């Protein structure tokens, strides 16, 4: 099966479908996922500041508090890690730093699954919450399961970057699954979609992946006995699965909306959210922040089939739901952060958006708050 073509769609996702990979300009890697590469560099004495300076990035680019990097930035990060650390298998070492927190929110969904089969199904569905580097799929034939990882970005990489990208993802999956199962699971064969490297790199692969590594295949894969899929996941809390899935679906829908809408709409939405608490987020303020005239912004939004007020209201509603999930914020704080100076105005808006008061809306969201 060929690697997926980056696409963007506004259609709702079927229940078992993964989030499509967006075009390059919108493809992202969550900062939590990118921190595996930062940690691998730091373990070898290379700081985030040194990586940023090497790549000519702003000082806060690799700040853990940031939301994400672009796919191109993440791939560049892997290449910089190799050069600065002098580590020919830097991607492999990045993957070995995978943790539960590496997979934002959907890692919690996986931990609620009672079997590895369920965990793989949730990875297939929610992988896009962690990154747009590629997508996973599972094939079972004759008692053998093959976990494929397809990526559309190898042609955009240097040979070394391609190797680090594939190594980091497969080593990360193997590390996380071993943590989930509480033991290292036996793998029959690992396939890597790049030419056979030198003896030192092959030896490193054998140490992490096992001796059966095949190079030059169409897509990265790991092959194992299908019976392992029905192995129970120790300590799984299946009672939380539906609550976690519901919130993960909301996050997935937001991501899909973001990558399918015109860039000007995304930019306005983000700027409105950033300005609300300062009681700005007006048309002139947002246009100035985006370095365009008010008339140009209105024209671009009209070309995108919307207008400023519609985007403003949608951004405010989405931010309201996000803030209400944070149990550490009182309702007065939430109203202020949304730009409301009167609690009664926020109450009316909540009834319009959610059909209930802020307090009742927070109660409805409480399950997702507690596990997030």
């Amino acid at each position: 099966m060929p690697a997926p073509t980056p696409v963007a769609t506004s259609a709702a996702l079927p229940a078992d479908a993964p989030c499509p990979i967006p075009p390059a300009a919108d493809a992202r890697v969550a900062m939590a996922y990118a921190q595996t590469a930062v940690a691998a560099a730091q373990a070898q004495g290379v700081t985030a500041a040194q990586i940023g300076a090497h790549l000519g990035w702003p000082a806060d680019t690799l700040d853990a508090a940031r939301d994400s990097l672009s796919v191109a930035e993440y791939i560049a990060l892997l290449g910089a890690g190799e050069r600065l650390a002098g580590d020919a298998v830097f991607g492999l070492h990045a993957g070995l730093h995978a943790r539960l927190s590496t997979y934002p929110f959907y890692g919690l969904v996986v931990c609620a699954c009672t079997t590895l089969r369920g965990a793989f199904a949730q990875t297939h569905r929610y992988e896009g919450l962690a990154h747009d580097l590629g997508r996973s799929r599972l094939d079972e034939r004759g008692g053998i399961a093959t976990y494929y990882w397809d990526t559309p970005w190898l042609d955009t990489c240097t040979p070394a970057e391609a190797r680090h990208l594939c190594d980091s993802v497969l080593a990360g999956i193997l590390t996380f699954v071993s943590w989930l199962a509480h033991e290292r699971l036996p793998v029959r064969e690992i396939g890597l979609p790049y030419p056979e490297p030198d003896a030192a790199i092959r030896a490193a692969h054998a140490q992490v992946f096992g001796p059966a590594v095949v190079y030059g295949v169409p897509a990265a894969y790991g092959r194992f006995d299908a019976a392992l899929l029905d192995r129970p996941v120790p300590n799984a809390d299946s009672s939380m699965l539906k609550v976690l899935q519901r919130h993960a679906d909301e996050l997935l829908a937001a991501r899909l909306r973001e990558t399918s809408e015109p860039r000007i709409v995304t930019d306005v939405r983000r700027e409105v959210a950033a300005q609300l608490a300062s009681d700005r987020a007006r048309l002139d303020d947002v246009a100035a922040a985006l370095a365009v005239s008010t008339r140009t912004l209105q024209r671009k939004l009209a070309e995108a089939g919307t207008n400023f007020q519609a985007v403003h209201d949608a951004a405010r509603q989405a931010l309201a739901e996000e803030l209400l999930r944070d149990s550490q914020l009182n309702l007065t704080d939430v109203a202020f952060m949304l730009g409301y100076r009167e609690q009664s105005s926020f109450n009316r808006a909540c009834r319009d958006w959610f059909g209930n008061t802020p307090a009742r809306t927070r109660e409805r969201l409480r399950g997702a708050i507690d596990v997030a």
Side-chain angles (χ1 to χ4, degrees), residues 268-281 315 319 337:
V268 170
R269 186 192 301 276
R270 288 177 175 170
E271 193 56 42
V272 166
Q275 292 191 17
L276 278 172
S278 61
D279 197 24
R280 302 198 323 268
L319 183 59
M337 295 172 73

Side-chain angles (χ1 to χ4, degrees), residues 42 45-46 53 107 114 123 128 134 161 172 174 199 208 234 238-239 257 261 269 282 296 312-313 328 360 362 368:
Q42 291 173 334
V46 178
T114 56
T123 296
E161 289 171 343
L174 186 59
V208 173
S238 60
S239 66
R257 181 183 64 244
E261 66 189 8
R269 186 192 301 276
R282 298 180 178 87
T296 297
H312 181 285
D313 292 347
Q328 296 182 2
R360 289 292 180 87
R362 169 167 277 177

Side-chain angles (χ1 to χ4, degrees), residues 30 80 92 126 133 189 205 248 284 324:
L92 200 64
Y126 299 119
L133 297 170
E189 185 177 271
H205 285 161
D284 291 347
L324 285 170

Side-chain angles (χ1 to χ4, degrees), residues 36-38 40 74 78 87 89-98 164 168 171-172:
T36 58
V38 175
Y74 178 74
L78 293 175
D87 181 6
V89 288
F90 181 78
L92 200 64
H93 291 144
L96 294 176
H97 280 82
H164 295 315
S168 67

Side-chain angles (χ1 to χ4, degrees), residues 95-166:
L96 294 176
H97 280 82
R99 303 290 185 270
L100 174 61
S101 60
T102 300
Y103 306 95
F105 198 82
Y106 98 76
L108 296 175
V109 181
V110 167
C111 288
C113 297
T114 56
T115 66
L116 291 179
R117 183 184 300 279
F120 279 121
Q122 302 311 311
T123 296
H124 175 74
R125 171 69 171 173
Y126 299 119
E127 191 171 15
L129 296 179
H131 61 74
D132 294 319
L133 297 170
R135 293 293 181 261
S136 301
R137 55 189 171 92
L138 189 66
D139 179 72
E140 290 183 67
R141 300 183 188 185
I144 302 298
T146 305
Y147 180 91
Y148 289 100
W149 187 73
D150 301 306
T151 176
W153 309 118
L154 294 186
D155 289 343
T156 71
C157 301
T158 67
E161 289 171 343
R163 187 176 72 250
H164 295 315
L165 175 59
C166 296

